[in-house]
């Protein structure tokens, strides 16, 4: 972002005029130390032309270009830094280099350096968020193409950004018409100081002309980032620390940012006062109000900040006083820059960051503050975000319209303001897909109409469903990181469960759970051969001994009888229709007795087993006397059954 103000020390000014011709390295270092990056860059480049090649020069050149959003230049100097021999590379340079590579659309190379950064600083929030979202480009793509954007006609050749709305009027910050004398140029980037301007749309809805907002608000300082109350009578805005409209500097010559408040009376802005939580040794900037106007959100590098700048809020008390600032925490803030917050009427927080995975430079992100215990941080995607800096996003959820600023190619100036219309909302309820199959443990068969439920760590059901005919299920689950339990139930099966974990809100699509059939005592009259789904006990023609192939089925009957010792069965045996009736009746009795004897020989109590022969009286098919049938059909009638009688 080449406009100056998004990084807090970006408004640093020097107590003495920099000699543009200074070439000595100590002077260049002093410029860099004093945040006079434009002359520092010039001096360093001349030193390199004169043959200097030092680690400190490449570091400072990379950083000076980085904070001024000259990412291509920053990449060049970081590359030369890494090529130096015997150089101990601070992981922060790895991170910044990875960011600059993104701005050149070198995402594969960027990810390689992010992996190096992650290995060097595994506990850094930026490393953690990268590791949890390795498919960040796919996620950004999924969130993209939801906006139509348009460059505003009121943009100038200078920096225009930080839009806000009040009573149908667009207010923004700009470096236009500030004069070009040396006292009105600050040396962060050799650009003019900022003033607040206003514009009103014409009948076609276009903004074609702009004018200064108010002399009372615009002083000989930077002014930007306004937030108006709904009635338009109070404004919070960002300004350099000042006294009587002039810069007030700290002992290092740095003028910090502060938030000021003003009220409107008879068309004039009066009672301009700075807020009590400002400080002379840190910056506070970019205010925004919640719907109820009971909280003021802002960005700051005050003590307690996690990174270069964090997002905070204060409560606005009924008497007009303010609570102590509260940091939004590491779910939102990282070790880099989180800034330009904006709160919608539905309590969604849009903010700018180069610490969360993005496309390059500063990107716009959103989270639902109603889900503060498990916030989903979403990159809102293209075309709002680009490989350059995209920031100061505001949005009216009712009209689906808004504005943002960007220094992308194709604009009119350093930073341009764009209007947009949202065509499709982004779901921030943080869901993932939990999918898989339920099977029979013994056979592997897919089980239809099994009930599937997912429990969270507090043993609460968060989602449930029923498997389809193919045994599959697909549920809309909770994306909060943690351990979960999937439980499946089905009639005639024991309940089964399986633990799984969600990481980085990724879909879980390969869950497989097998259920064991429930062993219950079958009701009286049940044929255990059918109940246990076993191959029938068949006999050879005119034989009564138990065949070897039948013993497999017999073992399952034995297992059932051992599991349910109260069950009594009657073995009922049958013959085919060949031979005469009285012979077949005797043969069936011998078969029944042989089957019962086998069960008893395997340890089943004799009193639990009875037997009876039925001859050819209960055939399973049409193969009665004088009917010609195949061997297979006759075989089907030579069988034993196990009927539960008690």
């Amino acid at each position: 972002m080449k406009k100056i103000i998004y990084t807090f020390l970006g408004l640093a000014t020097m107590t003495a005029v920099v000699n543009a011709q200074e070439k000595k390295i100590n002077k260049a270092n002093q410029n860099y130390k004093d945040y006079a990056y434009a002359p520092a860059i010039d001096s360093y480049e001349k030193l390199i032309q004169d043959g200097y090649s030092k680690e400190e020069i490449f570091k400072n050149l990379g950083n000076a270009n980085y904070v001024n959003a000259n990412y291509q230049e920053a990449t060049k100097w970081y590359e030369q830094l890494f090529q130096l021999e015997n150089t101990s590379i601070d992981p922060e340079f790895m991170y910044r280099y990875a960011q600059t590579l993104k701005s050149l659309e070198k995402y594969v190379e960027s990810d390689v350096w992010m992996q190096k950064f992650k290995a060097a600083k595994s506990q850094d929030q930026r490393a953690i968020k990268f590791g949890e979202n390795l498919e960040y480009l796919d996620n950004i793509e999924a969130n993209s193409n939801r906006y139509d954007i348009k460059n505003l006609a009121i943009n100038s050749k200078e920096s225009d950004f930080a839009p806000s709305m009040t009573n149908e009027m667009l207010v923004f910050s700009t470096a236009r018409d500030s004069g070009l004398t040396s006292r009105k140029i600050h040396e962060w980037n050799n650009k003019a100081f900022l003033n607040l301007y206003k514009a009103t749309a014409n009948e076609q809805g276009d903004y074609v002309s702009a004018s200064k907002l108010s002399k009372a608000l615009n002083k000989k300082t930077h002014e930007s980032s306004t937030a108006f109350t709904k009635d338009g009578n109070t404004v919070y805005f960002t300004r350099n620390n000042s006294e009587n409209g002039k810069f007030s500097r700290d002992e290092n010559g740095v003028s910090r940012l502060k938030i000021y408040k003003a009220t409107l009376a008879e068309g004039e802005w009066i009672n301009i006062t700075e807020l009590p939580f400002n400080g002379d040794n840190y910056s506070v900037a970019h205010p925004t109000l919640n719907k109820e106007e009971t909280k003021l959100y802002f960005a700051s590098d005050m003590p307690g900040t996690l990174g270069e700048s964090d997002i905070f809020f204060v409560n606005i008390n009924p008497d007009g006083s303010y609570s102590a600032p509260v940091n939004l925490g590491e779910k939102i803030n990282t070790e880099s820059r989180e800034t330009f917050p904006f709160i919608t009427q539905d309590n969604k927080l849009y903010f700018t960051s180069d610490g969360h995975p993005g496309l390059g430079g500063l990107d716009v992100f959103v989270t639902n503050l109603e889900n503060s215990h498990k916030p989903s941080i979403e990159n809102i995607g293209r075309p709002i975000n680009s490989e350059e800096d995209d920031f100061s996003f505001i949005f009216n959820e009712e009209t689906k319209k808004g504005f943002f600023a960007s220094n992308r190619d194709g604009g009119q100036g350093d930073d341009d303001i764009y209007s947009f219309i949202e065509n499709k909302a982004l779901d921030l309820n943080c869901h993932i897909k939990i999918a898989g199959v339920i099977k029979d443990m013994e056979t592997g068969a897919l089980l239809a109409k099994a009930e599937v439920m997912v429990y969270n760590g507090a043993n609460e059901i968060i989602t449930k469903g029923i498997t389809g005919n193919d045994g599959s299920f697909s549920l809309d689950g909770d994306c909060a990181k943690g351990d979960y339990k999937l439980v499946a139930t089905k009639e005639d099966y024991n309940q089964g469960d399986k633990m799984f974990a969600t990481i980085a809100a990724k879909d879980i699509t390969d869950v497989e759970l097998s259920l064991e059939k429930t062993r219950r005592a079958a009701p009286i009259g049940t044929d255990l051969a059918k109940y246990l789904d076993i191959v029938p006990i068949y006999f050879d023609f005119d034989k009564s001994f138990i065949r070897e192939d039948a013993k497999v089925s017999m073992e399952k009957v034995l297992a059932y009888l051992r599991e349910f010792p109260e069950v009594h069965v009657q073995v009922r045996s049958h013959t085919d229709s060949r031979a005469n009736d009285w012979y077949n009746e005797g043969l069936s009795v011998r078969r029944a007795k042989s089957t019962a004897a086998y069960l008893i020989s395997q340890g089943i109590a004799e009193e639990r087993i009875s037997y009876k022969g039925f001859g050819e009286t209960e055939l399973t098919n049409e193969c009665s006397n004088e009917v010609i049938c195949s061997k297979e059909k006759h075989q089907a009638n030579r069988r034993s059954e196990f009927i539960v009688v008690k």
Side-chain angles (χ1 to χ4, degrees), residues 268-514:
E268 297 294 330
W269 290 103
I270 62 173
N271 299 325
I272 299 176
T273 56
E274 70 167 271
L275 300 189
F277 48 86
N278 290 324
D280 292 334
N281 297 315
Y282 56 84
S283 289
V284 178
H286 314 319
T288 184
L289 289 162
N290 68 341
K291 177 181 179 180
E292 297 78 15
E293 299 180 355
T294 57
K295 293 180 184 294
L296 182 72
Y297 291 78
F298 57 90
S300 179
D301 60 350
M302 65 175 56
T305 301
L306 301 177
E308 293 182 51
S309 61
D310 285 3
I311 297 174
F312 293 77
F313 75 88
V314 293
N315 293 310
I316 303 175
N317 301 317
D319 63 359
S321 62
Y322 303 91
S323 71
V326 178
N327 190 302
L328 289 188
E330 64 183 21
K331 292 293 185 181
I332 291 172
N333 294 315
T334 70
E335 289 80 357
S336 286
R337 299 173 289 187
E338 279 70 47
T339 185
F340 285 108
F342 178 77
I343 306 294
T344 69
Q345 297 298 289
D346 288 344
N347 212 25
K348 293 182 178 65
L349 168 65
Y350 288 87
F351 65 98
T352 299
S353 173
D354 61 358
H356 294 266
L359 293 173
L362 293 164
D363 277 12
V364 178
F365 296 81
V366 63
T367 186
N368 189 348
L369 292 177
E370 299 295 336
N371 292 339
S372 59
H373 65 294
K374 51 179 180 181
S376 169
I377 309 296
E378 294 290 338
N379 184 304
I380 66 174
R382 302 179 189 272
I384 299 294
N385 289 324
S386 68
E387 282 72 30
E388 299 298 330
D389 286 335
D390 310 289
F391 54 98
S392 63
F393 179 101
I394 66 171
F395 180 47
N396 185 318
E397 288 174 314
E398 182 177 348
T399 65
K400 303 300 181 184
K401 296 179 180 179
F403 301 88
F404 73 102
S406 177
N407 68 345
R408 67 187 63 190
D409 292 339
Q412 300 181 49
D414 287 343
D415 300 304
D416 278 8
I417 299 173
Y418 294 77
S419 64
F420 67 83
I421 298 176
E422 184 187 64
N423 300 315
K424 180 182 177 182
L426 187 63
D427 182 10
L428 295 177
N429 291 324
C430 192
H431 298 298
I432 63 169
K433 181 171 72 173
I434 303 171
V437 294
I438 306 299
K439 295 182 176 182
D440 182 293
M441 182 179 292
E442 185 175 356
T443 67
L446 298 171
L447 298 180
K449 297 183 179 180
E451 184 176 16
V452 183
M453 294 167 286
V454 176
Y455 292 80
N456 62 16
N459 205 34
E460 301 167 331
I461 297 177
I462 63 168
T463 185
K464 62 181 179 179
I466 303 293
T467 59
N469 291 332
D470 60 354
S472 69
F473 64 90
S474 182
L475 307 175
D476 190 20
D478 191 337
C479 74
K481 183 178 179 180
D483 294 325
Y484 293 83
K485 181 169 70 173
L486 182 136
V487 176
T489 59
K490 181 176 172 58
E491 186 177 0
D492 297 330
Y493 285 84
N494 295 325
Q495 176 178 294
D497 60 70
K498 188 170 189 176
M499 299 297 297
F500 66 92
T502 61
I503 300 174
K506 293 181 180 179
D507 291 342
I508 309 294
T509 58
D510 56 354
V511 180
E512 183 175 305
L513 180 59
S514 296

Side-chain angles (χ1 to χ4, degrees), residues 29-46:
N29 289 342
Q30 188 62 47
N31 287 339
Y32 179 84
K33 181 180 178 181
D34 290 341
Y35 311 108
Y37 291 130
I41 290 172
D42 183 64
S43 296
Y44 282 134
E45 289 181 345
K46 289 179 180 178

Side-chain angles (χ1 to χ4, degrees), residues 5 164 171 195-196 213-219 221-228 234-240 242 257-263 269-275 278 284-288 296:
I5 199 164
S164 69
V171 177
N195 283 319
L196 296 173
L213 180 62
S214 167
K215 288 184 178 180
L217 297 180
N218 289 315
K219 297 297 182 180
T221 53
H222 287 292
E223 287 84 25
S224 73
S225 306
T226 53
F228 293 85
T234 302
V235 62
Y236 298 88
F237 66 99
T238 304
R239 173 186 282 174
N240 285 96
S242 62
L257 297 181
K258 293 185 176 182
I259 295 178
Y260 291 76
K261 176 183 177 182
T263 55
W269 290 103
I270 62 173
N271 299 325
I272 299 176
T273 56
E274 70 167 271
L275 300 189
N278 290 324
V284 178
H286 314 319
T288 184
L296 182 72

